[in-house]
Amino acid sequence: MTSKSSRDDGRLKIAIQKSGRLSEKSFALLERAGISLQKSKDQLLCRAHNFPLDIFLVRDDDIPAFLVNDVCQLGIMGQNSLLESQQLDPDTFGGLQQVMPLGFGRCRLSIAVPNDMEYTGPDSLNGRTIATSYRGLLAKYLAEYKVDANIVTMEGAVEVAPRTHLADAICDLVSTGNTLISNGLSEQETILKSQAVIIKNNVMRSDIDSLSEKILARIKAVLSAENSRYIMLNCPTEALDDIKAILPGSQSPTVLPLQGRDDMVAVHAVCDEAVFWTTMEDLKARGASSILVVPIEKMLD
Ligand code: ATP
Ligand code: ZN
């Protein structure tokens, strides 16, 4: 454990996954928020040069414990793992808050059965054995549906359990579904939809909390810039209301005169949704021309 002096050094500590599905994207997100890090994957600790911040590189399952002990104040992990820890030990982990979904690491926790097993609904699991790494979330689901099944806890390679007759069914994380297909399993129930989130402890000191708020605001700005586009177009003045109505997610566009044209205006708007080809075609059909859609690098509200 970290000594008291390093805990009290006035630096914010963020726990992220050391290596695995979330680590690259967690690093990249912090870098896009302007944090310059010396990447060294062999270490536990990684210092930021330009912000009073240290990154702890740990196993994802350990992140909740780092937060409740205030070794770290923020963490990036899958909702699935957080909710599982909270389900298994609400007294210890119940106070951790999800503060921001991050839009990556999307997956679902699903129940899958062998293709040749008859399945008509959760009742079909009665008396069966289900292998999982998510005992807490599975038990909660089974209790909700009043299913009486046995749970076998496995750390990994859950998908082979039915073939080795260790279990009749599995409950595991799925993203594309390819692993299930190649193991002769079919997905039947989704227990939880998950993505990576930032989590926060509720015991941090106020000076650290203000650093945390600053980082969270930057990350929020990065995410909203990523999801937004700047759109520019020209249109007949009389078509302006029609055009405004179909600009995706835009609040109040800027309308500018076009030199030498009193029948035309230029419209500039930040759209907080994707701008699809079909939207551009609709804009064109309503009289818009010279339509430009550009990405936004940074945005601070
Ligand atoms: P660690 O060594 O840190 O314990 P791990 O093996 O538990 O790693 P990973 O397999 O790297 O964890 O998955 C980390 C997280 O990525 C999961 O908890 C989940 O939130 C997310 N994830 C997204 N898609 C998938 C998927 N198809 N399978 C497993 N996890 C996924
Ligand atoms: Zn893990």
Side-chain angles (χ1 to χ4, degrees):
M1 259 317 132
T2 324
S3 69
K4 183 135 189 4
S5 60
S6 106
R7 273 197 209 187
D8 293 347
D9 60 4
R11 296 171 72 83
L12 171 69
K13 314 282 197 304
I14 305 183
I16 67 172
Q17 192 187 26
K18 184 182 176 79
S19 70
R21 292 173 199 261
L22 304 179
S23 32
E24 289 298 323
K25 289 197 165 138
S26 304
F27 253 118
L29 181 64
L30 293 167
E31 283 179 343
R32 272 178 290 145
I35 304 300
S36 141
L37 295 162
Q38 197 155 29
K39 268 194 226 164
S40 159
K41 289 233 154 155
D42 313 325
Q43 289 175 354
L44 168 69
L45 198 75
C46 184
R47 276 174 89 82
H49 307 305
N50 56 354
F51 199 90
L53 164 69
D54 297 324
I55 306 296
F56 277 60
L57 300 164
V58 298
R59 284 197 55 197
D60 63 349
D61 318 71
D62 294 335
I63 294 177
F66 274 84
L67 266 72
V68 294
N69 292 313
D70 204 30
V71 174
C72 294
Q73 293 78 40
L74 297 178
I76 298 180
M77 68 184 304
Q79 289 171 309
N80 52 300
S81 316
L82 173 69
L83 293 172
E84 175 69 7
S85 327
Q86 293 182 321
Q87 188 62 36
L88 292 178
D89 190 350
D91 291 343
T92 306
F93 299 117
L96 296 176
Q97 304 163 44
Q98 298 188 29
V99 288
M100 207 184 294
L102 298 173
F104 63 85
R106 285 184 196 275
C107 58
R108 50 196 190 273
L109 183 62
S110 291
I111 294 177
V113 306
N115 292 332
D116 58 5
M117 176 177 144
E118 199 190 337
Y119 189 91
T120 53
D123 276 352
S124 304
L125 299 167
N126 265 312
R128 305 277 193 170
T129 298
I130 310 172
T132 191
S133 313
Y134 292 84
R135 157 181 293 276
L137 293 172
L138 176 59
K140 179 168 169 247
Y141 175 86
L142 295 175
E144 248 164 50
Y145 284 84
K146 301 191 169 45
V147 173
D148 186 14
N150 306 312
I151 300 178
V152 174
T153 307
M154 291 176 73
E155 282 293 318
V158 173
E159 65 281 357
V160 301
R163 251 190 298 144
T164 56
H165 304 290
L166 198 63
D168 302 302
I170 67 163
C171 171
D172 202 8
L173 295 178
V174 183
S175 46
T176 59
N178 287 338
T179 309
L180 295 183
I181 292 168
S182 58
N183 283 282
L185 299 167
S186 60
E187 191 175 352
Q188 299 291 359
E189 311 287 348
T190 298
I191 292 189
L192 176 81
K193 285 196 174 144
S194 176
Q195 60 178 295
V197 278
I198 298 190
I199 61 171
K200 183 180 172 177
N201 73 9
N202 54 4
V203 291
M204 75 175 87
R205 294 182 340 209
S206 62
D207 57 329
I208 303 292
D209 199 14
S210 59
L211 292 176
S212 148
E213 287 307 313
K214 206 164 169 183
I215 283 296
L216 291 173
R218 283 199 197 178
I219 291 175
K220 192 168 162 231
V222 168
L223 297 176
S224 64
E226 256 166 31
N227 296 326
S228 301
R229 296 289 176 271
Y230 196 74
I231 182 163
M232 291 173 270
L233 54 84
N234 296 340
C235 74
T237 315
E238 59 186 35
L240 194 54
D241 286 340
D242 266 7
I243 299 279
K244 277 192 203 165
I246 60 163
L247 283 176
S250 109
Q251 309 300 329
S252 42
T254 307
V255 179
L256 306 158
L258 279 177
Q259 204 170 26
R261 296 289 301 261
D262 49 14
D263 58 332
M264 295 279 287
V265 286
V267 178
H268 290 195
V270 173
C271 296
D272 58 15
E273 292 166 28
V275 181
F276 298 108
W277 280 109
T278 47
T279 312
M280 293 176 68
E281 286 152 6
D282 286 350
L283 290 166
K284 191 163 183 241
R286 285 166 168 79
S289 55
S290 307
I291 309 171
L292 276 182
V293 179
V294 294
I296 295 172
E297 193 187 273
K298 290 191 178 70
M299 190 161 92
L300 199 60
D301 280 335

